[in-house]
């Protein structure tokens, strides 16, 4: 029984924790009718070589008509996802496993970023093929796909873009990977290859951030997960 001398905010917190504990062992309870919200039509505002801007006319959970500005990619075509990001683990005999990262300049942020290797899926290309191609282009390394994640959103508040995370294992002792380049990329995109020991990932990310680099949210999430937050 809760004592009446407790502050009201503590009573609310106690009830919240009790409800969480009661439901955390099973599937989370959904309180919103998922079929009540819908997109009714799309009006294109502008379109460029890579991106489009549209108004999504939609109906909310209360039946009210609303408008949402949405950024999309013009390169998606018939692909289910727009792009991939690669969680590349580098293995070398006698060394700790490392994560392969890239540093590159991102004009929208006016800054250099620290990211996972990533890129757009070309027409007719599989997720696996895209992951290995982007890894090669951005890091010069060759590996094998060990897993493909679920479809996930990149920035669901403004964008329709979805992607998949692909895990790749790289044999750093293989002949094709011994001559790894420090700087890679294609026309207009230069990437600096960073090899970070997995046990020291969080420490390195803190150092990169202190130097003024922007950490990609997918990489930050991976670091939190590995640290057992």
């Amino acid at each position: 029984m809760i004592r009446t001398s407790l502050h009201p905010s503590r009573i609310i917190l106690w009830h919240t924790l009790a409800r969480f504990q009661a439901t955390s062992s099973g599937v989370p309870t959904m309180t919103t009718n998922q079929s009540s919200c819908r997109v009714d039509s799309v009006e294109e505002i502008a379109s460029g070589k890579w991106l489009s801007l549209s108004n999504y006319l939609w109906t909310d959970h209360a039946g009210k008509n609303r408008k949402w500005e949405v950024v999309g990619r013009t390169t998606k075509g018939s692909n289910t996802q727009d792009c991939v990001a690669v969680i590349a683990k580098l293995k070398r005999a006698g060394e700790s496993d490392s994560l392969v990262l890239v540093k590159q300049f991102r004009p929208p942020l006016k800054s250099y970023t620290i990211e996972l290797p990533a890129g757009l899926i070309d027409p007719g290309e599989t997720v696996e093929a895209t992951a290995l191609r982007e890894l090669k282009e951005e890091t010069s390394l060759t590996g094998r796909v060990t897993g493909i994640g679920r479809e996930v959103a990149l920035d669901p508040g403004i964008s329709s873009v979805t992607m998949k995370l692909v895990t790749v294992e790289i044999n750093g002792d293989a002949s094709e990977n011994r001559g790894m380049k420090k700087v890679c990329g294609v026309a207009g995109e230069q990437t600096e290859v960073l090899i970070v020991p997995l046990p020291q990932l969080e420490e390195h990310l803190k150092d990169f951030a202190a130097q003024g680099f922007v950490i990609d949210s997918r990489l930050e999430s991976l670091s939190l997960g590995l640290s057992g937050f």
Side-chain angles (χ1 to χ4, degrees):
M1 179 178 293
I2 302 175
R3 298 193 303 271
T4 55
S5 60
L6 286 175
H7 190 277
S9 63
R10 290 182 177 273
I11 296 175
I12 293 172
L13 175 60
W14 189 92
H15 280 295
T16 301
L17 289 172
R19 286 198 300 271
F20 175 79
Q21 290 169 351
T23 59
S24 61
S25 60
V27 178
T29 302
M30 299 291 183
T31 58
T32 303
N33 182 359
Q34 296 183 44
S35 63
S36 63
C37 299
R38 66 181 185 274
V39 174
D40 301 303
S41 62
V42 177
E43 298 176 347
E44 186 176 277
I45 300 172
S47 181
K49 181 179 180 181
W50 301 102
L51 300 174
S52 64
L53 176 63
S54 301
N55 276 327
Y56 277 35
L57 307 179
W58 67 289
T59 302
D60 69 11
H61 64 283
K64 185 174 181 179
N65 294 327
R66 296 186 179 275
K67 183 186 293 185
W68 199 291
E69 293 180 353
V70 178
V71 176
R73 284 201 173 275
T74 60
T75 53
K76 188 167 189 174
S78 59
N79 295 325
T80 304
Q81 291 80 40
D82 298 86
C83 53
V84 303
V86 184
I87 302 175
K89 182 168 63 175
L90 179 67
K91 301 179 74 69
R92 287 173 175 153
E95 298 181 12
S96 298
D97 291 347
S98 297
L99 193 64
V100 182
L101 306 177
V102 293
K103 184 184 85 172
Q104 59 183 318
F105 185 77
R106 291 296 195 183
L109 295 172
K110 302 176 183 178
S111 173
Y112 281 92
T113 60
I114 307 298
E115 306 180 28
L116 300 169
L120 299 176
I121 300 174
D122 286 342
E125 193 174 37
T126 65
V127 170
E128 297 93 329
T130 301
L132 295 178
R133 173 178 56 77
E134 289 292 345
L135 180 66
K136 183 70 173 179
E137 289 178 357
E138 296 191 357
T139 71
S140 77
L141 294 168
T142 300
R144 64 180 184 87
V145 172
T146 57
I148 299 175
R150 292 175 287 272
E151 180 179 26
V152 295
L154 275 181
D155 194 343
I158 65 169
S159 173
S160 63
V161 176
T162 62
M163 67 169 299
K164 283 193 173 183
L165 288 164
V166 180
T167 55
V168 173
E169 185 174 288
I170 301 168
N171 180 357
D173 296 321
S175 58
E176 63 267 25
N177 293 321
R178 289 176 187 162
M180 185 192 74
K181 298 178 181 178
K182 295 291 186 180
V183 178
C184 301
V186 294
E189 296 182 11
Q190 186 183 73
T191 54
E192 180 181 340
V193 184
L194 306 172
I195 306 299
V196 176
L198 276 169
Q200 301 166 24
L201 176 59
E202 179 59 23
E203 179 183 340
H204 279 273
L205 292 186
K206 287 180 180 178
D207 183 56
F208 290 143
Q211 295 179 58
F213 303 135
V214 177
I215 309 300
D216 183 82
S217 59
R218 290 159 290 186
L219 179 56
E220 179 74 5
S221 298
L222 176 62
S223 180
L224 285 172
L226 292 173
S227 66
F229 78 103

